[in-house]
Amino acid sequence: MEAYESIRTIKGIGEKTASNYEKLGVFTVGDLLMHYPRDYDYYGDECFIEDLRPDENSVIIAAPVSHANVFRKGSRSLTSVYVQDSSGRIELTWFNMPYISKTLHTGVKYIFRGRVSWKGKRLVMRQPKILTKEDYYNNRHRLLPIYPLTGHVTNNSIKKAVKQALESVSFPRDTLPAPAVKMYGLIGHKEALNKIHFPNNRAEYRQAHKRLAFEEFYDFLSKINAARKRKKLNKTGFIIDKQQFAEAIEKILPFELTEGQKKALSDIKHDLGSGVAMARLLEGDVGCGKTVVCLLAMCMAHESGYQSALMAPTEVLAVQHYNFFTEALKDTGTEVILLNGGQKAAERREALEKIRKTPDAMIIGTHALIQESVSFSGLGLVITDEQHRFGVAQKKKLQEKGIITKETPYGDTPFIPHMLVMSATPIPRSLAATLYGDLDISFIASRPVNRLPVKNAIIDESYRDRAYTMIAKQVLNGHKAYIICPVIDASDNIAAEGCIEYTEKIKDYYNEKKIYGIRVGMIHGRMKANEKEAALDDFVSGRTNLLVATTVIEVGIDVADATVILIENSERFGLAELHQLRGRVGRSDLQSYCMFMVSRLSPEIMQRLSVLKETNDGFRIAEEDLKNRGPGEIFGTRQSGELTFKTADIYRDADILKEAIEAVKTLEG
Ligand code: ADP
Ligand code: MG
């Protein structure tokens, strides 16, 4: 069996099963082997009923003392049975599994495994699994893989398929250079795969993880290294050197640029006039003002007679940029073209037509910009905002669309657009320099001077009334507020506020309290593009002044007079995500507030969130984490965007990354 062969070569996987695997991104045997467990389960020793502890997964060997009872309520049922061992007695319950009652016989011992929790003053074990002797004794003390699943593929079937693949696949030569393996004490690729799926203990898991993470880092860094060597002389075939227009616009802005913005702009000016294609990352914390830098860069392209395009990750954001540009340029007669997926056919046709015909157009859009139907004419500068939201391929495509060899006044010299990517990903500068080694970096460290730091509080349920009062106060003072819910619909399965239900709840709350004047809006990811746009528009213009939202508003949304944000179930978010959300307030000279609501004030949660309270600086937060190297989930992988690896994590695995950097330097120069 070869790694590139379809998973259908595995026994037991037919056409139907294969299509289910495909939904997991598993097409080949190699993909299957790289479908790593997301976690491991562990069957410990059995324990006596009297020793059971709440919130732990435990195994007991016990016999029912009587028949199981099934309580029914509508279509739902609860099965309950008391079991005992020599030490005591406990109730076991199962939700919606009435058939369990038939399998249990009084006086017979079974092996139950489950989590124990309080029910009043007693402990109960809810939803325990009944293990066979074979299953329990064979797997005890081993780490059992738990795979990411969707739809119809079960954990067990993946386990079986992986076992088979590991036995029969022929592995090529080791993928890492031998000196690296030796120098850093790594295990082989095949051994690592065996141990990542079926480690006997934590030590084996760590060995496997180290090897696979190292491999990913090495591969990534060596590609960057190659790109850096290649990049040296990428001639554009044109020069962007006119600056008067940009300077004039800068003068009429309602604010003075910060030092950081000025420096970034001068880096960009230098690149645009150099004749060599710019490949630059503009990194700066949320709210530091990256948009205006890109406006001014696009003004330079415009005046020099070239097109420029700004690609935003969402339509809402594209529209916001469009409005900002239009406002800034309103007295100059310069038009900005908007292209995004939600437009009506006629609007879209008109936009496409203008893009084709206007050689110095300033264009803003979503990934609609990289579709077939768009044809640029003399695209000199491409910018991606919040680049971590785009794949590498999407970004490249925008630049490639601008590469032409005909139609340039320089004959058949290639025409390569400059590229700027903007990001608020809090990757410490030192690390960014390595990971984005193929890009030059401009770093905006300062924030606009008029900003007061956001005041933060971590609160729980007992503070809810005061939180709502505080929101009401801000709103009735003419400011605006956000409330963030982790999910769109509340459900019984997860303890998290749902945006839709919450919107009604909060309206009722203020009505009951007879607090009037709070106009509640809602925005979430399942709304249509134009609905989202309208919701945001209402909020910006003040038709609503309290916006209940999911994380759709996480990136980029800029509403200056929003002064308070309440984030429900904060413990469910990564720190970086929370920091991004908090970045929605504190965007003017008004004092702003951020309240992190948690479902319980446990020491772990407080410890994890405390850094947010201590600082408002995203880079400090990242740096801090890198120093402490806390648990990997601190940074939601989404935040690292394209720096997301299958198993490696640039924060948690900072040690391994350091070694990989060293190895690439030594071995590839
Ligand atoms: P981000 O870097 O997060 O994309 P934005 O570009 O959206 O931030 O800017 C945030 C807000 O700050 C905007 O309302 C913008 O107009 C404003 N702003 C930008 N630069 C300055 C400045 N130098 N002084 C005052 N306000 C500024
Ligand atoms: Mg932005």
Side-chain angles (χ1 to χ4, degrees), residues 280-319:
R280 183 171 289 281
L281 170 69
L282 178 56
E283 208 193 357
D285 203 354
V286 277
C288 72
K290 295 182 287 293
T291 320
V292 65
V293 173
C294 107
L295 164 73
L296 297 172
M298 286 170 74
C299 286
M300 292 179 214
H302 168 74
E303 192 188 5
S304 306
Y306 297 98
Q307 290 188 325
S308 56
L310 166 61
M311 182 161 74
T314 62
E315 297 187 0
V316 160
L317 213 51
V319 171

Side-chain angles (χ1 to χ4, degrees), residues 255-258 261 286-291 324 448 451 558 587:
F255 46 73
E256 169 117 15
L257 293 189
T258 63
Q261 287 170 321
V286 277
C288 72
K290 295 182 287 293
T291 320
F324 174 69
R451 303 285 164 81
D558 183 49
R587 297 185 147 249

Side-chain angles (χ1 to χ4, degrees), residues 208-259:
H209 174 75
K210 175 165 182 191
R211 157 72 206 214
L212 295 170
F214 189 98
E215 196 174 293
E216 282 188 289
F217 284 142
Y218 191 93
D219 191 49
F220 178 81
L221 292 165
S222 102
K223 276 190 195 129
I224 284 185
N225 206 28
R228 177 174 10 217
K229 286 181 191 160
R230 251 196 331 266
K231 177 189 131 187
K232 288 265 158 49
L233 277 181
N234 232 342
K235 289 233 166 59
T236 48
F238 64 95
I239 299 274
I240 291 177
D241 58 355
K242 301 239 162 59
Q243 289 160 15
Q244 275 174 8
F245 184 55
E247 278 160 17
I249 297 296
E250 188 184 326
K251 282 215 187 75
I252 56 170
L253 287 173
F255 46 73
E256 169 117 15
L257 293 189
T258 63
E259 283 314 307

Side-chain angles (χ1 to χ4, degrees), residues 290-291 317 320-321 385-386 422 556 587:
K290 295 182 287 293
T291 320
L317 213 51
Q320 178 182 293
H321 288 334
D385 189 17
E386 304 295 347
M422 305 200 288
R587 297 185 147 249

Side-chain angles (χ1 to χ4, degrees), residues 149-161:
L149 297 175
T150 49
H152 302 289
V153 186
T154 66
N155 202 58
N156 249 331
S157 75
I158 298 187
K159 219 154 80 181
K160 264 200 224 142

Side-chain angles (χ1 to χ4, degrees), residues 105-145:
H105 302 285
T106 312
V108 178
K109 280 188 182 167
Y110 299 91
I111 305 173
F112 299 102
R113 177 165 187 271
R115 192 173 286 270
V116 175
S117 56
W118 293 108
K119 178 181 178 185
K121 288 188 174 148
R122 293 180 302 118
L123 287 170
V124 291
M125 188 181 270
R126 293 190 160 91
Q127 272 348 71
K129 268 195 173 161
I130 305 174
L131 303 177
T132 61
K133 269 193 187 141
E134 192 194 8
D135 188 12
Y136 178 53
Y137 290 108
N138 286 348
N139 289 316
R140 193 165 53 161
H141 301 157
R142 312 223 341 235
L143 293 170
L144 308 168

